[in-house]
Amino acid sequence: MTQALPCPPHRLLLEPIVRRALEEDLGRAGDVTSELVVPAERRVEALLRTREPGRIAGLICAEAVFRLLDTSLEFRFDVQDGSDANAGSGLATVSGLARSILAGERVALNFVGRLSGVATQTRALANAVAGTKARIVCTRKTTPGLRLLEKYAVRCGGGFNHRFGLDDAVLIKDNHIVAAGGLARALERARAGAGHMMRIEVEVESLDQLEEALRLGADTILLDNMSVDDLKRAVEMTKGRAVLEASGNVTLATVRTIAETGVDYISSGAITHSAPSLDVALDF
Amino acid sequence: MTQALPCPPHRLLLEPIVRRALEEDLGRAGDVTSELVVPAERRVEALLRTREPGRIAGLICAEAVFRLLDTSLEFRFDVQDGSDANAGSGLATVSGLARSILAGERVALNFVGRLSGVATQTRALANAVAGTKARIVCTRKTTPGLRLLEKYAVRCGGGFNHRFGLDDAVLIKDNHIVAAGGLARALERARAGAGHMMRIEVEVESLDQLEEALRLGADTILLDNMSVDDLKRAVEMTKGRAVLEASGNVTLATVRTIAETGVDYISSGAITHSAPSLDVALDF
Amino acid sequence: MTQALPCPPHRLLLEPIVRRALEEDLGRAGDVTSELVVPAERRVEALLRTREPGRIAGLICAEAVFRLLDTSLEFRFDVQDGSDANAGSGLATVSGLARSILAGERVALNFVGRLSGVATQTRALANAVAGTKARIVCTRKTTPGLRLLEKYAVRCGGGFNHRFGLDDAVLIKDNHIVAAGGLARALERARAGAGHMMRIEVEVESLDQLEEALRLGADTILLDNMSVDDLKRAVEMTKGRAVLEASGNVTLATVRTIAETGVDYISSGAITHSAPSLDVALDF
Amino acid sequence: MTQALPCPPHRLLLEPIVRRALEEDLGRAGDVTSELVVPAERRVEALLRTREPGRIAGLICAEAVFRLLDTSLEFRFDVQDGSDANAGSGLATVSGLARSILAGERVALNFVGRLSGVATQTRALANAVAGTKARIVCTRKTTPGLRLLEKYAVRCGGGFNHRFGLDDAVLIKDNHIVAAGGLARALERARAGAGHMMRIEVEVESLDQLEEALRLGADTILLDNMSVDDLKRAVEMTKGRAVLEASGNVTLATVRTIAETGVDYISSGAITHSAPSLDVALDF
Amino acid sequence: MTQALPCPPHRLLLEPIVRRALEEDLGRAGDVTSELVVPAERRVEALLRTREPGRIAGLICAEAVFRLLDTSLEFRFDVQDGSDANAGSGLATVSGLARSILAGERVALNFVGRLSGVATQTRALANAVAGTKARIVCTRKTTPGLRLLEKYAVRCGGGFNHRFGLDDAVLIKDNHIVAAGGLARALERARAGAGHMMRIEVEVESLDQLEEALRLGADTILLDNMSVDDLKRAVEMTKGRAVLEASGNVTLATVRTIAETGVDYISSGAITHSAPSLDVALDF
Amino acid sequence: MTQALPCPPHRLLLEPIVRRALEEDLGRAGDVTSELVVPAERRVEALLRTREPGRIAGLICAEAVFRLLDTSLEFRFDVQDGSDANAGSGLATVSGLARSILAGERVALNFVGRLSGVATQTRALANAVAGTKARIVCTRKTTPGLRLLEKYAVRCGGGFNHRFGLDDAVLIKDNHIVAAGGLARALERARAGAGHMMRIEVEVESLDQLEEALRLGADTILLDNMSVDDLKRAVEMTKGRAVLEASGNVTLATVRTIAETGVDYISSGAITHSAPSLDVALDF
């Protein structure tokens, strides 16, 4: 899957998140250890490295951490977000006052570790489906407060973004269908009220529901928790009349088989909610 | 490890975090699906359930989610944070307007899933060392913006908290020692400047360094990445003169052996930075 | 155009806007006139009235104004947002301490006046196209800081919402086409990168461009500043293959003629950026 | 009316308003269209133009928009706020990365359009009373959240500012008089409690009330909704003992006649609450 | 000096200040002592007492502290802000969960102690000038972040408020006069540009300057650092044509003599910037 | 007491406090006097001076005031925070646009005056105990919203910091002991639950309580309100087994005698809550 490096979030949106993370670590008294122990004028150069291979994301956060702490620090990107890195390879270099670098170290690493973890998990799924037409997409199962950044990490990993929130598309799920009194009424209401710039997706859990959705003209359908056999049948039944997204039981072991059923999108919550952090460090 | 249920964060500190998570999901237009599809007056009762066994944390966030969205919703805790739950068991019940409950569903689940994941990983380590004197402690390797809550989840899991931030204790690590020109000078400076209410911990990486630290009178020492044999030797050398904390290579497979060396604390970053989310759902 | 009353914004999103408006009017010292002149215990009942006929929007803001100022005030909606009101008719009643009501009076009126102005202008256009299939939609030409509320006022006026911001759909305009090196490349890139939940609209300024857009399979097309004759031709050429939105020169005098060309949507910036305020007052 | 260019608000006060407007438009995902369609390195120069003649205000906001989005953009003022511009004339030039400029375009235009609309309406009234001693002043009938900027736009239009909020002067209106038990008691209380740096204005609705106010020594009097004949009588009765402000029924058609009665100030809510936006655009 | 109890700030303005003070004390982990040591269900009644005689101010802040921490606490005012209290007397009672009360104790006392200190100093000056026409007024020499509250404390002490900030009146001081090129030009510019609702005060440092100011028609004049003899002369020269405010060297020892010169106002920075805290405590 | 200049708070933590203080003084309309009276292009150099001798603190706030107001101003430190200054000596120089300097003058002075007042009081106590081993420490009796800065001013004055808030150490006071059912149980609970990085201090009011605390192994003990004789006895009884802090009745007159009892720390609330402001000025 070749694509340009993903576009990072505007600094206007990124900085408040980084600022809050710094405030959380600095507390009221700041980095007391460095202030007590490290001479005020000591300058160092530090290398941000990964100890494991992975797909990198979040260096833009590290840059913001050090800039917000001390505008006199110099930060150099050795690679860009969205790159692959080997174990031990350098990602970025920051140089300047040791106290300032030490004060930002942990917050910078927390961002890069977590977001690279998300990117690495996404890349694994994306690589596994390479050559099929299926795209890996994320969900709204993100860490509270970090959605913007985790969605970016998914793009860094070669994935695509589903909704950013409740407000940017309609997704009619089982509970909505029950509450509306059936799929037909739910779809009708959604179409009547939604603006023309808003997509409408319907979740179905069986081939019968799929048939009904297709009959009602749904053009984007989420196939939830179906077996591989049912997914194949769903693709055949649909005959290209709708975009099909598969979800449920998506793991590295299963994702290729799911992709080969012919669905268009495969969504995974685990790439954001359960990605282990990539092991990164700052070496002096 | 028997202890009372952990004390939850003050609502004054909790609410801004929950509020930002809601704003992130609601965006500008809010839950357009529910508003289009679900009748305004429809009322439901929904059960927050776990699909996996685990130690629960974050129900206080779910409660805040629904209260901030709609003060007319009723939220009932079926268990408390810090309890163990079996697969399928109910955790809390929320009842009221369906639109309000649907608007908060995902954010509530994201909090409970993530924090219960942290609590469950912590509990696993804590259970593994039961009967030894070792306590499991967390680190500052937390998710940016959620430190307060992840520290709480660690307590829910039977763990203890290390520093909440850079400002509430002194921790002299390798880089500080280098920058200060040796352990002796680093310790001396820290003692000279720190207030009497601030603890000072020193990180050592070898038994030689440990010996020096003990000779200098350090009373809290972090043994970083030592082998089990070295940890045993460290305990013998220390003879109770200092509190010993072990870190590095702490997994469910190794933690018992580490505990049996006689160290006082075992710290793990993975319980916060790499805990997979617990699978929780909201059923109508 | 019969539709249910529009769904108001969540209080979580509404309150910060109202709070800022109050802070702006109260300054540091608050309502010095009332505090100096009106006895502390004086209670009154005040009637929020319109002096002109119009479509009402923003009463939910007035309610929030008085609630945020003084939780002991009672606010009663005499009509709902989205209703039509005659000159002189009462919209809401607020009763309680005179000082609190006087402190909130102007801010409450400023919200109701402005938003009812938007709703009234929208209603006029919506009424003018009644019986055609055309829907009136708004734009992003809203008052800075009030987009959420002005979009709501448009719905109160019987209109529909276009994008809430730059992030919830793709709209390829002339400058984008030039920068991308042509419509074909622009569309191709948008489709390659956009998630499947994001709509893509293309702006065209001539029938030639429309033909190209249709050939490229665009399914939502904005016809910018075309003559009525060209709009008619555009509808004929399109033959239902794409949703058509007309913009430019939309006034009460022209909108019916535009609607009768058969376009699906007619967008107007003036309903938000140039709507005169409705004349409303608070009578004791 | 010759006066120096009005002093713009401090950037400390301006930037939070601009920031919120940008956040409102960028949402979570930012300008997806430009990011997908426009090459990352493409640079352009864009001209901010007015399509209509008018008095310009708000260019300082446009400058802040582009600076807050991308510090590498260059913004050049071709005219200053407070200048008159012909249809088609350039107001400012912004150059740099196309994506950044496109991301800020709409917000910048929304500020300049709205504030120039206010300035243009104000200028029209100010020009109409030129040669009389009357000054045009604004009211607190401003758009919620934009008072600071609309007051500035009034000054750009050649008008003067009345109170910025409830706290910077005393204005005793009909409701206050009733609540206080008469004009005499209201004035007495206001004088007893107000600091010596706070002005006190009294609103009267009849010549009888004016007489009472003058007898009580009021030195600033608001003549509300009086006929032109009564205004003339009021001026005669007052004989310069008080500053007189006329309000009500102030339009371009009536304002000269009102001014010629000899009042000192004429206040208009319409210049802020009902000014149509000036039609401005950004051309590449 | 008999006056009604001063009007407290709106809760909308008060609460953010109290909230920040609480966040500052609670940090991230909250009141760890009480959470560890005090049983969760223990309930107490605590009495807020003063250990010294003084004029009380800030009980409204204490009430907000406890309400924001825990809505289940009950707070009862035993006296009102603006009352005098003897050493040992009770001011307010708060009852409920011991942990919540202990968590808020220090912040509540810090507010009451500081603001009562201001009120007590103000009262001393106000009492000293009783029987003269002089009023004690404050300045802008207030504690950063607490101006709103310290101005309220001044009113609680029987004083009056000068400007709340740079924006609510014009005060032309020596530096302004130099920069403008003389008093005449400074006054002329101020009158030409200021709205009619804004007062203009001129600071003079000699009788010559006073004469010039009077000749120019200044109606509010600040006599800075003049001797008592010069103040007497100033009052004679002025003959009631302007309001006179004296400042400089105002202490409890001098204030009566200053007042007896016949000036209208005496301003003191010390009542806000150097008032010692009143000794208050919370007893269980 | 020789020590390096104290480390100032991170700008990330300092700037929001300075920003709020500026907003508080500028209000909505800003510095109207300077804008009306001082020509826009007038440039000046101003000298920040102290009129009294004292220990200086808060120049970093003055620097931030002028930088946040106008990035084109130049600020030069003539001395550093933590220095002693004679009456009349210059502390810093700021040069640039007169309007910008005048707009920031009062806020800058308010910070420097207050914080230098705290530093000066602290220095007086610290000098008085010079030659003993006792250190002067502050308390949590700080001005709401300024704790971070007042703690810094204490360090500038040669003092040391006690807890920054409720969360960074355990301090068991009389009320806690009562609520817990005795000192033994309180200490036991605190030790069982507190992390190993958190210190535990116990307050005692009598020698009997001290004996109990020592028997229970308390290693940090606050001797509250004891007579000098009892303090001497306490030091003898303790024999170095615990760190001893004395509080209560600490004045310049008593502090030396208290220090000579042999206690390790002497805490004073008055250095923060009742320090008179240092008299500083800005001269053009």
Side-chain angles (χ1 to χ4, degrees), chain B residues 159-170:
Chain B
F160 288 78
N161 292 327
H162 206 288
R163 294 192 295 174
F164 269 68
L166 286 164
D167 64 330
D168 52 10
V170 172

Side-chain angles (χ1 to χ4, degrees), chain D residues 114-115 118 142-143 146-154 272:
Chain D
R114 167 145 205 88
L115 297 178
V118 170
T142 56
T143 310
L146 295 185
R147 183 166 295 167
L148 171 62
L149 294 175
E150 292 184 349
K151 293 265 172 185
Y152 167 66
V154 164
T272 50

Side-chain angles (χ1 to χ4, degrees), chain B residues 11 44 85 190 198 209 215 220 222 224 265 278:
Chain B
R11 55 183 280 173
V44 295
M198 194 166 277
Q209 280 187 304
R215 196 175 58 239
T220 313
L222 174 59
D224 190 37
Y265 291 90
L278 196 74

Side-chain angles (χ1 to χ4, degrees), chain A residues 90-112:
Chain A
L91 307 179
T93 313
V94 57
S95 53
L97 294 174
R99 282 186 181 173
S100 298
I101 294 174
L102 286 162
E105 173 183 3
R106 174 49 40 214
V107 174
L109 294 176
N110 285 350
F111 275 113
V112 178

Side-chain angles (χ1 to χ4, degrees), chain A residues 17 20-21 24-34 36-39 42 51 98 102-107 110-111 114 140-148 150 163-173 175-181 186-187 189-190 192-194 198 273-277 282-284, chain B residues 17 20-21 24-34 36-39 42 51 98 102-107 110-111 114 140-148 150 163-173 175-181 186-187 189-190 192-194 198 273-277 282-284:
Chain A
I17 302 171
R20 275 196 291 270
E24 186 183 61
D25 201 29
L26 295 171
R28 286 154 304 211
D31 182 4
V32 291
T33 305
S34 301
L36 290 170
V37 165
V38 177
R42 178 67 125 259
R51 292 170 169 161
L102 286 162
E105 173 183 3
R106 174 49 40 214
V107 174
N110 285 350
F111 275 113
R114 166 146 206 88
R140 284 169 43 244
K141 297 179 180 178
T142 56
T143 310
L146 295 185
R147 182 164 295 166
L148 171 62
E150 292 185 348
R163 294 193 294 175
F164 268 68
L166 285 165
D167 64 329
D168 51 9
V170 172
L171 175 45
I172 303 174
K173 308 187 94 173
N175 287 325
H176 299 109
I177 292 172
V178 171
L187 247 182
R189 281 190 191 149
M198 194 165 275
H273 68 58
S274 294
S277 198
L282 193 73
D283 295 338
F284 278 64
Chain B
I17 302 171
R20 277 197 288 273
E24 187 183 60
D25 200 29
L26 294 172
R28 287 155 303 214
D31 182 4
V32 290
T33 306
S34 302
L36 290 170
V37 164
V38 176
R42 178 66 125 261
R51 291 168 171 163
L102 285 163
E105 172 183 5
R106 175 48 41 214
V107 174
N110 285 350
F111 275 113
R114 167 145 206 88
R140 284 169 43 245
K141 297 180 180 177
T142 55
T143 309
L146 295 186
R147 183 164 295 167
L148 172 62
E150 293 185 348
R163 294 192 295 174
F164 269 68
L166 286 164
D167 64 330
D168 52 10
V170 172
L171 174 46
I172 303 175
K173 309 187 92 172
N175 287 325
H176 299 110
I177 293 172
V178 171
L187 248 182
R189 282 190 190 147
M198 194 166 277
H273 69 57
S274 294
S277 196
L282 193 74
D283 296 337
F284 280 64

